Short mmCIF file of all heavy atoms in Angstrom, two decimals:
data_model
loop_
_atom_site.label_atom_id
_atom_site.label_comp_id
_atom_site.label_asym_id
_atom_site.label_seq_id
_atom_site.Cartn_x
_atom_site.Cartn_y
_atom_site.Cartn_z
N PRO A 1 3.68 -7.11 -3.78
CA PRO A 1 3.46 -6.54 -2.49
C PRO A 1 2.10 -7.00 -1.86
O PRO A 1 1.10 -7.24 -2.63
CB PRO A 1 3.35 -5.02 -2.67
CG PRO A 1 2.91 -4.85 -4.12
CD PRO A 1 3.50 -6.06 -4.81
N THR A 2 1.99 -7.16 -0.59
CA THR A 2 0.79 -7.47 0.09
C THR A 2 0.12 -6.19 0.62
O THR A 2 0.73 -5.12 0.70
CB THR A 2 0.96 -8.40 1.24
OG1 THR A 2 1.80 -7.73 2.26
CG2 THR A 2 1.73 -9.65 0.86
N ARG A 3 -1.12 -6.30 1.04
CA ARG A 3 -1.82 -5.17 1.60
C ARG A 3 -1.14 -4.79 2.91
O ARG A 3 -0.94 -3.58 3.21
CB ARG A 3 -3.30 -5.44 1.72
CG ARG A 3 -4.05 -4.27 2.34
CD ARG A 3 -5.56 -4.40 2.16
NE ARG A 3 -5.86 -4.25 0.72
CZ ARG A 3 -6.00 -3.15 0.06
NH1 ARG A 3 -5.79 -1.91 0.70
NH2 ARG A 3 -6.28 -3.13 -1.21
N ASP A 4 -0.74 -5.75 3.74
CA ASP A 4 -0.08 -5.44 5.02
C ASP A 4 1.22 -4.77 4.76
O ASP A 4 1.54 -3.72 5.46
CB ASP A 4 0.14 -6.74 5.72
CG ASP A 4 0.89 -6.53 7.04
OD1 ASP A 4 0.27 -5.88 7.95
OD2 ASP A 4 2.05 -6.96 7.20
N PHE A 5 2.04 -5.15 3.78
CA PHE A 5 3.26 -4.50 3.43
C PHE A 5 3.02 -3.04 3.06
O PHE A 5 3.68 -2.13 3.47
CB PHE A 5 3.96 -5.25 2.27
CG PHE A 5 5.19 -4.58 1.76
CD1 PHE A 5 6.43 -4.90 2.27
CD2 PHE A 5 5.15 -3.65 0.74
CE1 PHE A 5 7.64 -4.30 1.77
CE2 PHE A 5 6.30 -3.03 0.23
CZ PHE A 5 7.52 -3.37 0.82
N SER A 6 1.96 -2.84 2.22
CA SER A 6 1.66 -1.53 1.69
C SER A 6 1.18 -0.58 2.87
O SER A 6 1.62 0.60 2.84
CB SER A 6 0.53 -1.56 0.66
OG SER A 6 0.91 -2.48 -0.39
N GLU A 7 0.46 -1.08 3.75
CA GLU A 7 -0.03 -0.24 4.89
C GLU A 7 1.16 0.13 5.77
O GLU A 7 1.26 1.24 6.30
CB GLU A 7 -1.10 -1.02 5.75
CG GLU A 7 -2.42 -1.12 4.92
CD GLU A 7 -3.37 -2.08 5.57
OE1 GLU A 7 -3.06 -2.67 6.61
OE2 GLU A 7 -4.53 -2.08 5.11
N ARG A 8 2.09 -0.84 6.00
CA ARG A 8 3.33 -0.51 6.73
C ARG A 8 4.18 0.56 6.03
O ARG A 8 4.76 1.39 6.72
CB ARG A 8 4.09 -1.83 7.03
CG ARG A 8 3.45 -2.77 7.94
CD ARG A 8 4.28 -4.07 8.07
NE ARG A 8 3.57 -5.02 8.92
CZ ARG A 8 3.68 -5.11 10.23
NH1 ARG A 8 4.51 -4.23 10.89
NH2 ARG A 8 3.06 -5.99 10.95
N VAL A 9 4.28 0.48 4.72
CA VAL A 9 5.05 1.40 3.96
C VAL A 9 4.41 2.82 4.08
O VAL A 9 5.13 3.78 4.28
CB VAL A 9 5.23 1.03 2.41
CG1 VAL A 9 5.74 2.15 1.66
CG2 VAL A 9 6.13 -0.20 2.27
N ASP A 10 3.13 2.88 3.95
CA ASP A 10 2.40 4.16 4.09
C ASP A 10 2.71 4.85 5.47
O ASP A 10 2.96 6.02 5.54
CB ASP A 10 0.91 3.99 3.89
CG ASP A 10 0.47 3.96 2.40
OD1 ASP A 10 1.23 4.66 1.64
OD2 ASP A 10 -0.46 3.31 2.10
N ALA A 11 2.69 3.96 6.51
CA ALA A 11 2.91 4.48 7.88
C ALA A 11 4.37 4.94 8.04
O ALA A 11 4.65 6.01 8.63
CB ALA A 11 2.58 3.45 8.83
N ALA A 12 5.30 4.15 7.45
CA ALA A 12 6.72 4.39 7.57
C ALA A 12 7.14 5.71 6.79
O ALA A 12 7.95 6.55 7.27
CB ALA A 12 7.58 3.31 7.15
N LEU A 13 6.63 5.82 5.57
CA LEU A 13 7.04 6.96 4.66
C LEU A 13 6.09 8.16 4.75
O LEU A 13 6.38 9.17 4.15
CB LEU A 13 7.13 6.40 3.28
CG LEU A 13 8.18 5.29 3.01
CD1 LEU A 13 8.20 4.86 1.61
CD2 LEU A 13 9.52 5.67 3.52
N GLY A 14 4.98 8.02 5.46
CA GLY A 14 4.08 9.15 5.56
C GLY A 14 3.44 9.50 4.20
O GLY A 14 3.31 10.66 3.86
N THR A 15 3.06 8.38 3.41
CA THR A 15 2.60 8.60 2.03
C THR A 15 1.04 8.66 1.98
O THR A 15 0.45 8.55 0.89
CB THR A 15 3.13 7.59 1.12
OG1 THR A 15 3.05 6.25 1.81
CG2 THR A 15 4.53 7.90 0.79
N ASP A 16 0.43 8.84 3.10
CA ASP A 16 -1.11 9.14 3.14
C ASP A 16 -1.88 8.15 2.33
O ASP A 16 -2.75 8.48 1.54
CB ASP A 16 -1.28 10.52 2.50
CG ASP A 16 -2.72 11.04 2.77
OD1 ASP A 16 -3.36 10.67 3.74
OD2 ASP A 16 -3.21 11.88 1.95
N GLY A 17 -1.60 6.85 2.53
CA GLY A 17 -2.40 5.75 1.89
C GLY A 17 -2.10 5.47 0.39
O GLY A 17 -2.81 4.80 -0.20
N THR A 18 -1.06 6.14 -0.09
CA THR A 18 -0.76 5.96 -1.53
C THR A 18 -0.55 4.50 -1.87
O THR A 18 -1.16 3.92 -2.85
CB THR A 18 0.56 6.72 -1.95
OG1 THR A 18 0.29 8.12 -1.78
CG2 THR A 18 0.99 6.36 -3.37
N PHE A 19 0.21 3.75 -1.15
CA PHE A 19 0.53 2.37 -1.47
C PHE A 19 -0.60 1.47 -1.09
O PHE A 19 -0.79 0.40 -1.75
CB PHE A 19 1.84 1.92 -0.74
CG PHE A 19 3.02 2.60 -1.34
CD1 PHE A 19 3.59 3.70 -0.66
CD2 PHE A 19 3.58 2.29 -2.54
CE1 PHE A 19 4.72 4.43 -1.23
CE2 PHE A 19 4.77 2.93 -3.09
CZ PHE A 19 5.17 4.02 -2.42
N SER A 20 -1.40 1.84 -0.07
CA SER A 20 -2.58 1.03 0.22
C SER A 20 -3.57 1.10 -0.90
O SER A 20 -4.35 0.17 -1.15
CB SER A 20 -3.21 1.52 1.51
OG SER A 20 -2.31 1.42 2.63
N ARG A 21 -3.64 2.26 -1.64
CA ARG A 21 -4.50 2.37 -2.75
C ARG A 21 -3.95 1.71 -3.97
O ARG A 21 -4.63 0.92 -4.73
CB ARG A 21 -4.80 3.84 -3.11
CG ARG A 21 -5.60 4.53 -2.02
CD ARG A 21 -6.01 5.92 -2.51
NE ARG A 21 -4.88 6.84 -2.56
CZ ARG A 21 -4.45 7.56 -1.55
NH1 ARG A 21 -5.00 7.53 -0.36
NH2 ARG A 21 -3.41 8.44 -1.73
N LEU A 22 -2.59 1.78 -4.16
CA LEU A 22 -2.02 1.21 -5.34
C LEU A 22 -2.05 -0.35 -5.26
O LEU A 22 -2.22 -0.99 -6.32
CB LEU A 22 -0.57 1.61 -5.45
CG LEU A 22 -0.29 3.01 -6.02
CD1 LEU A 22 1.20 3.30 -5.90
CD2 LEU A 22 -0.86 3.13 -7.45
N VAL A 23 -1.97 -0.91 -4.10
CA VAL A 23 -1.85 -2.44 -4.00
C VAL A 23 -3.13 -3.04 -4.57
O VAL A 23 -3.10 -4.18 -5.07
CB VAL A 23 -1.57 -2.79 -2.59
CG1 VAL A 23 -2.78 -2.71 -1.64
CG2 VAL A 23 -1.01 -4.25 -2.57
N GLY A 24 -4.27 -2.47 -4.43
CA GLY A 24 -5.49 -3.01 -5.01
C GLY A 24 -5.35 -3.19 -6.53
O GLY A 24 -5.76 -4.22 -7.08
N LEU A 25 -4.81 -2.18 -7.21
CA LEU A 25 -4.62 -2.28 -8.65
C LEU A 25 -3.56 -3.31 -9.03
O LEU A 25 -3.72 -4.09 -9.91
CB LEU A 25 -4.20 -0.92 -9.22
CG LEU A 25 -5.14 0.23 -9.05
CD1 LEU A 25 -4.49 1.57 -9.57
CD2 LEU A 25 -6.37 -0.07 -9.87
N VAL A 26 -2.51 -3.42 -8.19
CA VAL A 26 -1.47 -4.40 -8.43
C VAL A 26 -2.01 -5.83 -8.31
O VAL A 26 -1.83 -6.68 -9.14
CB VAL A 26 -0.31 -4.20 -7.38
CG1 VAL A 26 0.71 -5.37 -7.47
CG2 VAL A 26 0.40 -2.86 -7.70
N LEU A 27 -2.75 -6.07 -7.21
CA LEU A 27 -3.28 -7.38 -7.02
C LEU A 27 -4.34 -7.80 -8.02
O LEU A 27 -4.39 -8.97 -8.48
CB LEU A 27 -3.83 -7.47 -5.51
CG LEU A 27 -2.86 -7.40 -4.45
CD1 LEU A 27 -3.48 -7.40 -3.12
CD2 LEU A 27 -1.82 -8.55 -4.50
N ARG A 28 -5.18 -6.84 -8.43
CA ARG A 28 -6.10 -7.19 -9.43
C ARG A 28 -5.48 -7.51 -10.78
O ARG A 28 -5.92 -8.35 -11.51
CB ARG A 28 -7.07 -6.05 -9.64
CG ARG A 28 -8.24 -6.30 -10.65
CD ARG A 28 -9.39 -5.38 -10.49
NE ARG A 28 -10.00 -5.64 -9.18
CZ ARG A 28 -11.15 -5.07 -8.79
NH1 ARG A 28 -11.72 -4.16 -9.54
NH2 ARG A 28 -11.61 -5.29 -7.56
#
């Protein structure tokens, strides 16, 4: 996943930044 994808998912699912935070760990 990309950061852009993760931010879009958070907005779509109302997950309060969960995927935006997780993507940093994934990419690292």
